Amino acid sequence: MILGAFAVVVSSLMGVAAAGAGLAAACTPPGDGGAAGLTLKETSEGDFDGDGQMDEVRIYYDPAEDYMVHVEVTLANGYKTFIRSTEGVGQIATFLEIKDLDQDGDHEILVSIFPMAPHGPVELYAMAGCKLVRAEGTDRNGDPINLASGPGTLVLLGLDCRSPAAAGKGLTQYRSYADPTFSTYTVNRDEYRLEVNDAAESATLTVARSTETVLQVAKPAHQAMLDYASTINCEPAPKCDGKRVTIQGTPFKDKVVGSGKVDVVAASGGNDVITTKGKNDVVCAGNGNDRVTAGAGADRVFGQKGKDTMKGGKGADLLDGGAGVDTAIGGPGPDTCKAETKLSC
């Protein structure tokens, strides 16, 4: 789903919500469609009331209102509910994703709107009671939660099964920021919860975890970030040395920096540069000619395939080059080195 030269949204989301099953019985026709006289933009399907039947969602725009975008849901029994978007001036494209965002048995709607500039809002809608409502909320500074992309950024919205917050059920947003030379993307992660209240007919976003940096990609490759997205969207969690991975690289050349906590890094392909900090970290460098620098602590580094260079820090480290012609440089402490070239081991 391409929003522009520097904006991509990938969606497959989760949160926490009350069950919405059986709402169709309470939501009887005709309801309020409100789309008369508008121009149809997109049509899709989803089970928005949890009754097991497919319902219809349509996106309209109104040329008389500078192409303001509107959303309408028609349930299988004919009931209609309609909402006006908060955005829309000068819109030239909209993109629609239908997912069970909060795993309550019914679907929600993600609408991405691309205006003339290379950034745009991402709006989240849910059936709450018999109304289609917009999910909104404030962050810890009291400012509205903003799911929009910005100039020069790549935005990933995804279901992160390894999310530290909410037992893996966080509504997770990954943002990458290009440096002025467009040679590096720094990727930050924000986590939210989606709460749908049928009785109050409301949907709320709340902050589950503050922003943290999770990856630096040493090339302006959108495909690298899309591949990275595939690693967060509920595939089986990878492991390194039998431990659950906390930092996942891409198939491209990555610059991975440890968090300062106990990290388990799986760098995947590419000629990666990996630096850990002062804990007992574990690194699987993957394919490629990698450079790994371990911080203080009893670290375990596995070069795996390729011509790797591994440097230990303070502590009793294991530096195992694996396949390929590797170099292991031990640091202070009784290190174990398995490589073709061993220094200070």
Side-chain angles (χ1 to χ4, degrees), residues 226-240:
L226 292 175
D227 288 340
Y228 181 56
S230 72
T231 70
I232 68 172
N233 285 333
C234 270
E235 295 180 0
K239 291 186 177 182
C240 173

Side-chain angles (χ1 to χ4, degrees), residues 257-261 263 275-281 293-297 299:
V257 180
S259 67
K261 302 175 183 178
D263 294 314
T275 304
T276 68
K277 297 184 179 179
K279 297 292 182 179
N280 298 336
D281 303 307
T293 302
D299 304 303

